[in-house]
Amino acid sequence: MTRAVAILRLLGRSSEPLGVNAIARTLDLFPSTCLHILRVLVAEELVACDQQSKRYSLDEGILSLARSILRRNSFAALVQAGLNQLSQRYGVAAVGVKVMGLDHMVVVAIAKSEQPLRIHVEIGSRFPALISATGRCLAAFGGFSRNEIENRFRMLRWDRPLSFRAWQAEVEATRRRGYGVDEGSYIDGVTVLAAPITSRDGMSHAVIAVGVSEQIRRVGIAALGRDLKDLAALVSSQLGSA
């Protein structure tokens, strides 16, 4: 079971289909064992095999599992209406993510913009936890030590890299105002705002607004940030009473 999950995670991270030997080598499995597990996953429609290249990728069966999880996900249900309102009001992509510690964040809810220029984000997309505006929120409100954060920060890849000192100053600004802002550092020309969903255990989720920088400056970063922060506070209180 553990090895099957490891294979699914590896295929989910890979940007292209992988062969048996590559999977086995990466996960330190015997090729024969790896092939047996892959055949089971193919039979369950969780993994697809290209018969010509003999390479494997995730199949559509994963989507049905994801949908059933999202239907039971109280956060996704609570946040969706607010995301829809933000997207319509400001013309941004509004996103809800689950934070998986310092490892990564996963998109679990989304309201897409109708603007001609749109940022492509999908349910199930994963991003490094400390990247962009959400990372500033996690550093400010997640309860992690400076050493843990700095070690992970060094591994991040940005379009316009920040020094750790400059980034820490932005983390402090995030702590003061209650939401984070990334103006083109993560993706050049794109501004991201995020507000934390918190509980007694720290930061579990976040709500995010993503748009072309010029467009977001036009609608107003401060106004969008306040609305994002208000939505985060509302959802935090609802999750706490659920």
Side-chain angles (χ1 to χ4, degrees), residues 171-212:
V171 169
E172 289 306 312
T174 298
R175 199 190 317 274
R176 290 193 301 272
R177 68 181 168 233
Y179 62 89
V181 181
D182 182 300
E183 292 190 74
S185 295
Y186 175 37
I187 303 173
D188 195 18
V190 172
T191 293
V192 184
L193 285 77
I197 308 294
T198 58
S199 67
R200 288 175 297 179
D201 298 324
M203 179 177 160
S204 59
H205 299 81
V207 288
I208 304 169
V210 186
V212 176

Side-chain angles (χ1 to χ4, degrees), residues 7 18 25 70 83 89 97 122 131 151 164 193 201 231:
I7 290 173
L18 299 174
R25 185 168 55 251
L70 291 174
L83 295 179
R89 184 177 304 153
V97 299
E122 297 293 345
I131 205 73
N151 288 337
F164 183 68
L193 285 77
D201 298 324
L231 175 59

Side-chain angles (χ1 to χ4, degrees), residues 32-43:
S32 58
T33 301
C34 184
L35 180 59
H36 173 72
I37 296 171
L38 284 165
R39 285 173 174 167
V40 172
L41 294 173
V42 168

Side-chain angles (χ1 to χ4, degrees), residues 118-166:
R118 297 194 294 268
I119 309 303
H120 184 73
V121 185
E122 297 293 345
I123 297 291
S125 297
R126 292 187 176 209
F127 303 93
L130 285 180
I131 205 73
S132 194
T134 313
R136 293 164 174 81
C137 290
L138 187 59
F141 303 104
F144 296 99
S145 72
R146 180 187 172 94
N147 285 340
E148 287 179 295
I149 291 170
E150 185 169 6
N151 288 337
R152 293 300 183 99
F153 177 84
R154 303 298 180 194
M155 301 165 62
L156 300 177
R157 297 291 179 267
W158 311 74
D159 276 358
R160 289 164 45 199
L162 294 166
S163 69
F164 183 68
R165 182 175 181 180

Side-chain angles (χ1 to χ4, degrees), residues 3 5 23 28-29 46 69 72 74 77 86 97-98 113 126 147 158 171 174 179 189 191 198 207 213 218 230:
R3 290 175 294 186
V5 171
I23 297 170
D28 197 22
L29 299 173
L46 300 176
I69 292 169
R72 300 193 302 271
S74 59
L86 281 174
V97 299
K98 180 175 177 59
S113 164
R126 292 187 176 209
N147 285 340
W158 311 74
V171 169
T174 298
Y179 62 89
T191 293
T198 58
V207 288
S213 294
R218 190 165 57 247
D230 289 345

